[in-house]
Amino acid sequence: MALAGAALSIAIAAPAVAAGPPPGSPEFLARDLQNVTDAYGRIIGQGGQLQNPNYLPALVAEGTDVNLSQLAEQAATPTRPVLTPAMVVPGWNVGNPLRRGWAGKRGIRQRVAYTNRYGALIRGDVFAPLPGAKDPYTGAALEPPYPGVVLTTGSVQGSERMYWWLAQDLAERGYVVLTYDVQGQGTSETLPHPSGDLPFCNPFAPPEEEEMNGCPGVPFQQIANFTKGTVDAMDFFVSTPDAPYVSKARGSADVNAFNPYWRLWDRSPDPHPATPGRTTRLAIVGHSLGAAAVSRVQGTDDRVAAVVALDKLSGPGASGPLDGKGVKPTVPALAVQSEYGFTVQPYFLNGSGLLPGLNDPSKAPDPRRERATGFDAWQKAGVDAMLVVPRASTHLEYTDIPLALPASRYGQALTSVYVQRWLDRYVKHEGVALPTVATKKAKKRAARKARKAGRSTKAKRRQAAPAGEDPLLATSFTYLEPTAVGRWSPVTLQRDPLLSFYHCSAYAFRDRTGSQVLQSGDVTGVGC
């Protein structure tokens, strides 16, 4: 929802002052060491993978089933080789084994396949609520049709099953969700098919737009696989028997002509879109290079109503691995971003978050680091945005990986809660007074007012934003966590202790009445 409309007032939240120990002091070093330790909480923390006796037996059972099914899929399509770690490394593509048996008990899921614009075979899954299901949090009856979500994985061999946790959580709340493996990752084909059954490409041919060489989709670690993959996935998601998806160069491959859950998706135009002209009830979510991709696609594809970027939202000024060139902030964006990258190290070696680097040990980490990648650009553009930085979180927070790689204990749970609530507001419009479409002049006036409010005096910053019952500003959440196969248990998440004390979390969006802009550039008083 753009920060637009007549007679908007501005409410700026005063951050809770979180005075910490001085950088370099023994207390500061001890706190940092605890943070580093907590970044392995998913594995070694209370209730984590090694502390839950139900985890390893479920991992063995699920891993065996997944490996056998993947081998069967490959045997059925011998001319479409999948050359990825997911096919050979035990446990790579398992996800959270405690979610084993979800389909048929808490929601429904169907395996799908289609070819992308280059003829490579793409595999994925579609999730939806059980018929007659009730929301597990509110008890309200869930009735189709539902809004849609397309989820794009991360790079470096991220696979769709690593993200089933979020797809399942959303399906249980009343969404139809498509997850898929981009070309060259997970169980999707590695090479393009110009025609028929045999893969072929000429790496020395002139590359197409965004491609690194004349072999489209190769290597997998390029932005094109994720931007084009997101658009192709949306094309498949919206397909119906009357408007089928055209799988190019399908040959003898067994593909779906359309989304098997097409009847469950709400295809009606949204009469009160958060962004004028964006009337399709569809959100996109991406992680890592997938986050960079959805940051771009939301500005160019009119079907996108809201976006969620999981480490990191890219704005026009972002540089480095998640380059933001060409990004235009357009739709409401939730950014969930991490303190650490693929590795965990002391604060003076933590660099940009994604990449290690040497920092001055006499200074605390830059509190605005995570705001600068995308949130500040969204706020400047006057488009609703929220930034959540979970404490002790890593770049792998948003992927379910067994036993090997670091992630905090509750970062994933906190992420799921915020994603659910963000999409509930901007795609379902739950609890929101439906806005009228403002004139262009009114929108420009409101945007100028919002930018001016960002430069308010300290006295204005001391004003408290009236959170009321706004779900996005709550300080305590309940999350249903799988603790054994077939068992989900509620956990209580206290917001402030679970947010970073190094990097600022922030928000700038209209309240649920649409009459007031709520803003805080520093939710827990880190120092922005």
Side-chain angles (χ1 to χ4, degrees), residues 488-510:
W488 269 252
S489 303
V491 293
T492 300
L493 308 173
Q494 299 298 333
R495 184 195 69 181
D496 290 3
L498 291 176
L499 293 181
S500 174
F501 48 66
Y502 284 137
H503 308 292
C504 296
S505 297
Y507 58 84
F509 51 74
R510 285 200 294 188

Side-chain angles (χ1 to χ4, degrees), residues 422-497:
W422 190 259
L423 298 187
D424 283 352
R425 171 170 292 194
Y426 293 104
V427 185
K428 287 186 178 179
H429 305 309
E430 283 193 355
V432 177
L434 297 178
T436 57
V437 178
T439 65
K440 290 184 178 180
K441 288 184 178 180
K443 289 191 292 182
K444 288 181 179 179
R445 287 196 301 269
R448 285 196 299 268
K449 190 172 183 180
R451 288 195 294 271
K452 185 178 179 181
R455 299 189 294 270
S456 296
T457 63
K458 290 183 179 180
K460 286 186 178 181
R461 289 192 181 99
R462 286 195 292 268
Q463 298 176 24
E469 297 298 319
D470 194 309
L472 289 171
L473 300 183
T475 57
S476 179
F477 312 101
T478 297
Y479 177 70
L480 294 174
E481 177 182 66
T483 53
V485 174
R487 185 171 76 216
W488 269 252
S489 303
V491 293
T492 300
L493 308 173
Q494 299 298 333
R495 184 195 69 181
D496 290 3

Side-chain angles (χ1 to χ4, degrees), residues 9-32:
S9 63
I10 308 295
I12 301 176
V17 178
S25 67
E27 294 81 8
F28 189 94
L29 294 174
R31 186 181 69 163
D32 186 68

Side-chain angles (χ1 to χ4, degrees), residues 75-250:
T77 53
T79 62
R80 295 180 174 273
V82 180
L83 309 175
T84 71
M87 298 298 292
V88 295
V89 178
W92 189 282
N93 203 26
V94 168
N96 186 343
L98 296 178
R99 291 178 173 270
R100 179 175 169 83
W102 178 90
K105 295 181 180 178
R106 298 181 66 89
I108 56 176
R109 173 181 64 85
Q110 186 163 329
R111 189 75 165 151
V112 295
Y114 57 93
T115 63
N116 66 8
R117 66 187 68 190
Y118 300 122
L121 184 62
I122 304 299
R123 293 188 173 96
D125 291 87
V126 190
F127 301 77
L130 278 172
K134 294 183 178 180
D135 186 307
Y137 293 90
T138 67
L142 298 176
E143 298 181 359
Y146 307 108
V149 180
V150 170
L151 197 160
T152 297
T153 70
S155 61
V156 195
Q157 290 301 317
S159 59
E160 55 132 358
R161 288 183 68 103
M162 296 177 182
Y163 302 87
W164 279 14
W165 61 275
L166 184 54
Q168 291 172 357
D169 285 352
L170 288 171
E172 290 181 13
R173 298 288 325 288
Y175 293 89
V176 180
V177 186
L178 169 65
T179 63
Y180 69 100
D181 286 320
V182 301
Q183 181 182 336
Q185 296 195 168
T187 58
S188 287
E189 186 180 6
T190 302
L191 301 172
H193 281 246
S195 63
D197 278 326
L198 296 178
F200 175 79
C201 65
N202 178 8
F204 303 105
E208 297 194 27
E209 185 180 4
E210 291 189 321
E211 301 289 338
M212 296 177 67
N213 57 60
C215 192
V218 181
F220 64 89
Q221 184 76 18
Q222 57 178 342
I223 187 67
N225 287 38
F226 298 83
T227 52
K228 296 175 182 178
T230 299
V231 174
D232 289 348
M234 287 194 291
D235 290 344
F236 177 78
F237 184 90
V238 303
S239 61
T240 69
D242 292 334
Y245 178 89
V246 178
S247 282
K248 297 181 179 180
R250 58 171 292 187

